[in-house]
Amino acid sequence: MTDSKYFTTTKKGEIFELKAELNSDKKEKKKEAVKKVIASMTVGKDVSALFPDVVNCMQTDNLELKKLVYLYLMNYAKSQPDMAIMAVNTFVKDCEDSNPLIRALAVRTMGCIRVDKITEYLCEPLRKCLKDEDPYVRKTAAVCVAKLHDINAQLVEDQGFLDLLRDLLSDSNPMVVANAVAAISEIMDASPNAASALEMNSVTINKLLTALNECTEWGQVFILDSISNYTPKDDREAQSICERVTPRLAHANAAVVLSAVKVVMKLMEMLDTSGDYVTSLVKKLAPPLVTLLSAEPEIQYVALRNINLIVQKRSDILKNEMKVFFVKYNDPIYVKLEKLDIMIRLTSQSNIAQVLAELKEYATEVDVDFVRKSVRAIGRCAIKVEPAAERCVSTLLDLIQTKVNYVVQEAIVVIKDIFRKYPNKYESIIATLCENLDTLDEPEARASMIWIIGEYAERIDNADELLESFLEGFQDENTQVQLQLLTAIVKLFLKRPTDTQELVQQVLSLSTQDSDNPDLRDRGYIYWRLLSTDPAAAKEVVLAEKPLISEETDLIEPTLLDELICHISSLASVYHKPPNAFVEGRGGQRRVLPVKSQSEGTTEEPAAPAPVSQPAPQPTVIPGADSLIGDLLDIDLGPGPSMMQQQMYPAQQAAPIQPAGNTGGMDIFGEGLDNLLGGGSSGGDMLGGLGDIFGMPQSQSYIPPQEVWLPATKGKGLEITGTFARKSNQINMELTFTNKAMQPMSGFAIQFNKNSFGLMPAQVLNIRTPLPPNQSASTSLPLNTTGPVQKMEPLTLLQIAIKNNIDVFYMSTQVSLHVLFTEDGEMDKKVFLKTWKDIPAQNEVQYTINNVQHNADTVSQKLRNNNIFTIAKRNVEGQDMLYQSLKLTNGIWVLAELKIQPSNPSFVLSLKARAVDVYEAIKTVYENILHN
């Protein structure tokens, strides 16, 4: 008879009978009674009254009975802590039993009993078990340390268990190592304080890699996850780890494969992307990812979500594997939609033909959601692959001819995006779209059609009639449609004012007087006032040229993507959200990809630092509200990780502006520049020190006027104005916060996105809080240049997130480059001459600065106050020549020649540097300083 008999008893007085049986002298009867107790406990009956009687059954050699008693104890110890103490002596005794299974069982059970009174008795038995001769006991004890840490972290740290756990990483048994790694990972996630004691080093990683081959598959997952959190000291170590991890890519278990992929993806960041080794790694990564797609649908989906991230980071890994993402008829809908998404990401000019053929086939399927996504995918292909846009539009027109309602509506939505990407190219199809006007019943499709009519009203003869037909049911329309209709009719009025005056008055009246939607009402009033006060301005605003939409609008923001790559094979990679977004109370440090290793032994001359190669550009992204959380919103108010500043630009690039031509009769590479070494003014104070005697300020650097960075309309009442200044060798951001809302504001914090010069706050934002309504507060925020570097476009762009008790706001500004000029930028004359000759001639670019009302001495002093140092001054054929040098915070040197002709307000500026990208920003600095 099976154990099911224990679940069928419903006798009265059952507890009393069980009590008698538990105290029986017969071992078999006692074991039967305990089984009945466990059965009752399992189905939810309260058998806690039997606690003392069950505990008495612990004194037995029968392993099965002992397991059952331990199970009962784990369940009821929390509700009966005082009685649970009775079992402690037996636990301690069992931890020294001759049978290793009983020793392990005892320490495992003690770890599961979450009672503070018992944990202090657990320390000594646990310490012995961690050093037990049997590996099964040691591996059980390792997990018990993590459980004990969860109950009382301080106790674990004080009793030295972290050191004992660390010692187990060197254990001879691979399963002990795997459990120790799992316990360490758990502890480090829960307690940042333990990170220093359990930090991995190259010796430990080597031991883990040795144990990797002999572990069970789940042990391998633990070890690989731990290795992925380690940052090698150089690219050689990274390559060595990759070589020892890549065999795991051929494992049968999908979790092991994805964990190995995570390690390789992280370490590839440190390796030279153009090298043969990275190429071979890319080739090795494709087959295991493809193999995962032949598993069950659930595993396929997890694999596809991870592949989606991998493709966004490194599309070259699967660029030749398009066919495996083609949808099968029996795929579940969630797999189909994910495959479709990856297909678009892998679409290129070489495979667009077969992709379009597939998508057209999918658009005739029966699953409505899948058909909709397929039609949208055709539109995304048109936007992504320009040469194929015409074929995509033709395919969409064929689909519109099918007259299937939801297909037509999706096609119109994507055609609107195609018009925005390729204006004035495919407008000939508008007539076909207008034929389907009556069938549109979905808000997005109706709004798209209205946008098309409004945007191209001058090409549609009956545009006013078409828009009027929408206006009849204006109050019943969705807000999206109402807003679009309002804008479209205003556009139509501005293009054809004579015959649409009545129509525009009607829509403005409906929007402002008959609507209770604040968005619609506000837009209506804005248009009304614009049209009534200044029709020309209205035309400029409403009919302004639209920016082209980007190729991929659904890419994950690069910083969040980097974080998610660090979480491949976890839930974060399936949700595409960082762990702290869905795990309550999840703290810990955000994971980031390692920085590319620099080759050792290279030396740089101070005069002309050798630039390093530019990192691969990230794809352009339109960030969504949630995608920026990973980067700008995850505000860390402490100083960020220190990064070595590097030059980001190639050594030689073709100058974007016309190279300098005639240099005023002077041979730059001949005698003219050599004469600098003999005479001319020194780069010191051009006033010969008299400035100080006459009380003139010696260092009055240029500070641009404050500009509005965040208007109150976008900041929910918070207005921020700011500028940048350099004072006493320190970059400062001068900020003024104005509260134009009706409530006080507090909890201000600030964070910068990655930028070209690694700018980041040097301290916490110090602003008076709370900031009452209609009050302003100013602060000077010191900045440093030790943050993460990413080349921006334009170069001086700085993206900022400001957080307060109301919301998080984004703003961007351009840093005036002069605040990045360092005080040690004065170059020796001989070094200046040598550097000028060493920089290629094509790197010299010439600009004209107009309307300058200063002489050479004043100019020199003004520039010197802003760390642009005059190395020498000469007079050639009646014009003053100033030879100047400056140095940026990232080590880039720029040399300049300024030609000043008396009575001529136009100066000629020639710039020469190895990094030509900075020229435009430096020219702007010269203009601002000299015009100030």
Side-chain angles (χ1 to χ4, degrees):
M1 189 173 174
T2 65
D3 286 347
S4 61
K5 65 181 179 181
Y6 300 112
F7 294 89
T8 57
T9 57
T10 54
K11 291 185 290 183
K12 290 183 178 178
E14 190 177 4
I15 297 288
F16 182 77
E17 287 181 18
L18 286 172
K19 195 179 186 76
E21 288 178 22
L22 287 168
N23 292 310
S24 170
D25 295 333
K26 295 178 183 176
K27 289 185 178 179
E28 269 313 304
K29 204 168 185 181
K30 193 179 277 192
K31 189 163 86 171
E32 291 292 304
V34 173
K35 284 187 177 181
K36 287 177 186 175
V37 171
I38 297 297
S40 298
M41 183 182 82
T42 306
V43 295
K45 290 181 184 175
D46 182 13
V47 285
S48 58
L50 298 170
F51 199 95
D53 306 289
V54 176
V55 169
N56 286 335
C57 297
M58 283 176 73
Q59 308 291 344
T60 176
D61 296 332
N62 186 305
L63 187 60
E64 185 184 6
L65 180 56
K66 200 174 274 286
K67 281 184 178 178
L68 291 169
V69 173
Y70 279 177
L71 195 61
Y72 178 90
L73 273 172
M74 280 189 270
N75 195 51
Y76 282 116
K78 200 159 191 178
S79 60
Q80 310 261 357
D82 294 330
M83 300 192 77
I85 297 285
M86 294 163 49
V88 166
N89 287 335
T90 311
F91 279 131
V92 174
K93 187 178 171 187
D94 282 354
C95 284
E96 296 178 1
D97 195 277
S98 58
N99 185 340
L101 292 175
I102 291 180
R103 295 202 298 275
L105 183 63
V107 78
R108 177 189 290 131
T109 308
M110 286 181 81
C112 291
I113 296 176
R114 302 180 64 84
V115 177
D116 289 334
K117 291 180 180 176
I118 289 184
T119 51
E120 53 199 67
Y121 294 102
L122 174 60
C123 293
E124 277 314 306
L126 179 57
R127 186 174 279 106
K128 288 179 183 175
C129 288
L130 284 167
K131 297 177 181 177
D132 198 280
E133 61 187 21
D134 191 281
Y136 181 73
V137 179
R138 293 199 300 275
K139 88 180 183 71
T140 308
V143 176
C144 188
V145 173
K147 291 178 179 175
L148 182 60
H149 185 275
D150 191 41
I151 301 166
N152 190 337
Q154 195 59 47
L155 181 70
V156 169
E157 290 168 24
D158 293 345
Q159 292 285 338
F161 284 126
L162 295 182
D163 295 329
L164 290 171
L165 197 57
R166 189 181 174 81
D167 293 341
L168 288 184
L169 294 176
S170 308
D171 199 278
S172 56
N173 186 290
M175 274 316 299
V176 176
V177 175
N179 277 22
V181 165
I184 285 173
S185 301
E186 192 75 28
I187 290 170
M188 287 178 75
D189 276 349
S191 170
N193 299 334
S196 55
L198 297 173
E199 195 173 352
M200 297 286 178
N201 55 40
S202 53
V203 177
T204 313
I205 292 295
N206 204 34
K207 290 171 184 170
L208 296 186
L209 288 165
T210 305
L212 189 61
N213 298 326
E214 302 169 43
C215 281
T216 64
E217 50 197 20
W218 295 114
Q220 291 182 34
V221 169
F222 287 135
I223 289 176
L224 287 167
D225 284 349
S226 185
I227 291 170
S228 74
N229 293 330
Y230 170 69
T231 303
K233 59 180 182 290
D234 55 29
D235 53 357
R236 192 175 302 166
E237 187 184 1
Q239 187 168 330
S240 169
I241 294 172
C242 282
E243 283 170 359
R244 296 175 70 176
V245 166
T246 42
R248 300 299 105 207
L249 294 171
H251 203 282
N253 186 305
V256 176
V257 173
L258 281 175
S259 293
V261 168
K262 170 167 63 178
V263 175
V264 174
M265 284 291 291
K266 280 192 75 172
L267 297 181
M268 278 168 73
E269 291 294 308
M270 294 187 67
L271 303 174
D272 179 15
T273 49
S274 59
D276 293 339
Y277 188 68
V278 169
T279 309
S280 71
L281 278 180
V282 166
K283 287 178 182 171
K284 286 178 185 174
L285 281 173
L289 291 172
V290 169
T291 305
L292 291 175
L293 299 182
S294 56
E296 308 83 76
E298 293 79 9
I299 291 178
Q300 277 190 58
Y301 179 71
V302 172
L304 287 165
R305 293 293 282 172
N306 282 275
I307 287 169
N308 202 325
L309 296 174
I310 292 165
V311 165
Q312 288 185 57
K313 187 68 184 172
R314 293 184 179 271
S315 57
D316 52 337
I317 291 175
L318 290 161
K319 66 182 178 185
N320 299 320
E321 305 293 343
M322 175 64 85
K323 285 189 177 177
V324 299
F325 298 106
F326 286 173
V327 172
K328 297 174 185 169
Y329 75 93
N330 58 348
D331 281 338
I333 182 63
Y334 55 87
V335 171
K336 285 181 175 179
L337 295 176
E338 203 57 38
K339 280 185 172 179
L340 205 54
D341 206 31
I342 296 168
M343 277 173 64
I344 305 306
R345 299 206 190 287
L346 293 175
T347 300
S348 62
Q349 201 166 337
S350 59
N351 57 26
I352 187 71
Q354 57 181 159
V355 170
L356 267 183
E358 279 288 312
L359 292 175
K360 193 171 181 182
E361 193 71 30
Y362 300 161
T364 59
E365 291 273 343
V366 291
D367 191 309
V368 176
D369 286 338
F370 181 53
V371 171
R372 286 177 179 278
K373 184 121 182 183
S374 301
V375 175
R376 292 219 174 193
I378 294 170
R380 283 174 64 186
C381 285
I383 291 167
K384 188 174 182 184
V385 186
E386 188 169 348
E390 199 157 332
R391 289 178 64 182
C392 295
V393 171
S394 173
T395 306
L396 288 169
L397 285 176
D398 291 346
L399 292 172
I400 287 173
Q401 298 305 334
T402 63
K403 301 295 182 186
V404 178
N405 194 3
Y406 55 86
V407 174
V408 172
Q409 304 205 67
E410 284 298 326
I412 285 174
V413 171
V414 297
I415 285 172
K416 179 203 75 173
D417 288 339
I418 292 171
F419 282 172
R420 289 181 62 196
K421 176 69 176 176
Y422 308 111
N424 305 316
K425 201 167 182 183
Y426 299 110
E427 283 72 23
S428 55
I429 66 171
I430 291 174
T432 312
L433 302 181
C434 291
E435 289 169 14
N436 297 279
L437 211 57
D438 298 335
T439 64
L440 306 181
D441 54 16
E442 292 172 14
E444 194 176 5
R446 288 171 73 83
S448 298
M449 193 66 227
I450 291 166
W451 181 89
I452 291 169
I453 295 169
E455 191 67 16
Y456 300 101
E458 69 277 11
R459 304 181 188 207
I460 306 170
D461 295 335
N462 61 338
D464 51 342
E465 293 172 19
L466 297 176
L467 291 176
E468 195 169 5
S469 67
F470 285 104
L471 204 57
E472 288 164 8
F474 186 80
Q475 301 293 3
D476 302 324
E477 295 283 7
N478 180 282
T479 305
Q480 181 183 7
V481 178
Q482 290 178 332
L483 287 165
Q484 201 58 261
L485 190 55
L486 170 60
T487 303
I489 291 176
V490 171
K491 284 180 184 175
L492 176 66
F493 173 70
L494 291 168
K495 290 174 182 178
R496 289 161 44 183
T498 50
D499 52 348
T500 55
Q501 194 165 350
E502 196 175 313
L503 192 61
V504 80
Q505 285 176 341
Q506 189 182 350
V507 76
L508 288 172
S509 174
L510 285 168
S511 304
T512 55
Q513 294 168 18
D514 303 341
S515 172
D516 55 2
N517 183 316
D519 291 338
L520 181 64
R521 204 166 54 237
D522 289 351
R523 189 182 291 191
Y525 278 126
I526 288 168
Y527 284 153
W528 200 324
R529 284 168 188 158
L530 264 175
L531 292 170
S532 58
T533 55
D534 192 348
K539 205 163 190 173
E540 282 182 34
V541 171
V542 181
L543 301 181
E545 198 170 319
K546 316 288 184 298
L548 300 183
I549 61 172
S550 83
E551 290 178 7
E552 297 273 10
T553 57
D554 62 341
L555 285 172
I556 294 174
E557 195 274 328
T559 312
L560 177 59
L561 178 62
D562 287 353
E563 185 178 358
L564 293 177
I565 291 290
C566 300
H567 290 289
I568 283 176
S569 79
S570 72
L571 263 181
S573 66
V574 178
Y575 290 152
H576 288 186
K577 293 179 180 178
N580 56 9
F582 59 87
V583 180
E584 196 174 336
R586 165 88 184 195
Q589 198 171 356
R590 235 176 74 194
R591 295 185 187 176
V592 292
L593 291 177
V595 181
K596 186 169 289 188
S597 172
Q598 298 299 309
S599 56
E600 296 174 13
T602 57
T603 57
E604 294 182 351
E605 286 189 31
V612 299
S613 60
Q614 179 183 330
Q618 294 284 1
T620 306
V621 179
I622 297 177
D626 57 344
S627 70
L628 274 171
I629 290 172
D631 189 17
L632 290 176
L633 302 200
D634 192 11
I635 290 185
D636 177 10
L637 299 183
S642 176
M643 286 183 62
M644 184 181 292
Q645 284 293 356
Q646 304 155 352
Q647 270 184 249
M648 304 162 294
Y649 316 109
Q652 294 183 17
Q653 290 185 19
I657 301 165
Q658 184 181 352
N662 185 355
T663 57
M666 176 175 168
D667 178 7
I668 291 182
F669 297 106
E671 184 186 345
L673 195 59
D674 292 339
N675 286 345
L676 288 174
L677 304 181
S681 303
S682 70
D685 180 5
M686 289 300 173
L687 300 175
L690 294 176
D692 191 30
I693 296 172
F694 292 109
M696 296 170 71
Q698 288 296 293
S699 180
Q700 194 172 11
S701 62
Y702 167 65
I703 301 176
Q706 287 206 356
E707 296 174 346
V708 177
W709 289 350
L710 180 72
T713 50
K714 290 187 178 177
K716 297 184 180 178
L718 173 64
E719 183 185 271
I720 300 175
T721 60
T723 188
F724 296 88
R726 189 177 184 95
K727 302 171 185 172
S728 306
N729 202 12
Q730 172 66 55
I731 307 168
N732 292 292
M733 180 189 271
E734 308 292 342
L735 293 165
T736 301
F737 289 64
T738 304
N739 182 0
K740 296 186 176 180
M742 303 297 288
Q743 62 180 9
M745 293 183 179
S746 59
F748 290 96
I750 189 167
Q751 185 165 347
F752 295 174
N753 202 352
K754 292 178 184 176
N755 54 79
S756 304
F757 297 91
L759 282 169
M760 64 181 290
Q763 66 182 45
V764 175
L765 181 64
N766 185 15
I767 193 95
R768 170 167 60 92
T769 56
L771 183 60
N774 299 315
Q775 296 281 318
S776 294
S778 296
T779 186
S780 185
L781 178 67
L783 309 181
N784 61 35
T785 53
T786 58
V789 174
Q790 177 179 306
K791 187 179 177 186
M792 304 299 285
E793 193 60 46
L795 197 67
T796 52
L797 181 68
L798 180 64
Q799 295 172 332
I800 306 166
I802 291 282
K803 182 180 180 183
N804 65 9
N805 61 320
I806 295 172
D807 205 347
V808 178
F809 308 102
Y810 310 106
M811 57 190 187
S812 62
T813 185
Q814 290 198 37
V815 181
S816 181
L817 200 66
H818 78 284
V819 299
L820 298 165
F821 296 171
T822 62
E823 279 70 14
D824 60 346
E826 187 167 2
M827 196 180 275
D828 179 77
K829 288 182 182 179
K830 289 183 181 178
V831 177
F832 182 97
L833 174 63
K834 182 178 183 303
T835 307
W836 187 282
K837 288 185 175 181
D838 287 347
I839 296 172
Q842 63 264 32
N843 280 27
E844 185 182 352
V845 177
Q846 198 173 81
Y847 301 90
T848 301
I849 302 174
N850 297 312
N851 301 319
V852 183
Q853 306 299 327
H854 300 294
N855 61 27
D857 290 345
T858 316
V859 165
S860 184
Q861 186 60 45
K862 270 181 166 289
L863 294 172
R864 186 178 186 81
N865 291 343
N866 292 279
N867 295 335
I868 301 174
F869 300 92
T870 301
I871 307 303
K873 173 188 167 189
R874 292 186 70 250
N875 191 284
V876 178
E877 297 179 358
Q879 63 180 357
D880 290 321
M881 314 281 282
L882 301 182
Y883 297 94
Q884 298 170 324
S885 69
L886 63 92
K887 181 185 174 187
L888 293 166
T889 51
N890 59 2
I892 294 176
W893 286 87
V894 180
L895 310 185
E897 177 196 73
L898 194 60
K899 296 178 189 171
I900 304 171
Q901 199 162 2
S903 73
N904 186 350
S906 296
F907 293 5
V908 177
L909 173 68
S910 298
L911 296 177
K912 215 173 184 194
R914 296 192 186 279
V916 297
D917 305 56
V918 299
Y919 285 4
E920 273 297 328
I922 287 176
K923 181 205 73 166
T924 305
V925 167
Y926 266 81
E927 287 179 334
N928 290 337
I929 293 171
L930 296 180
H931 290 148
N932 180 37

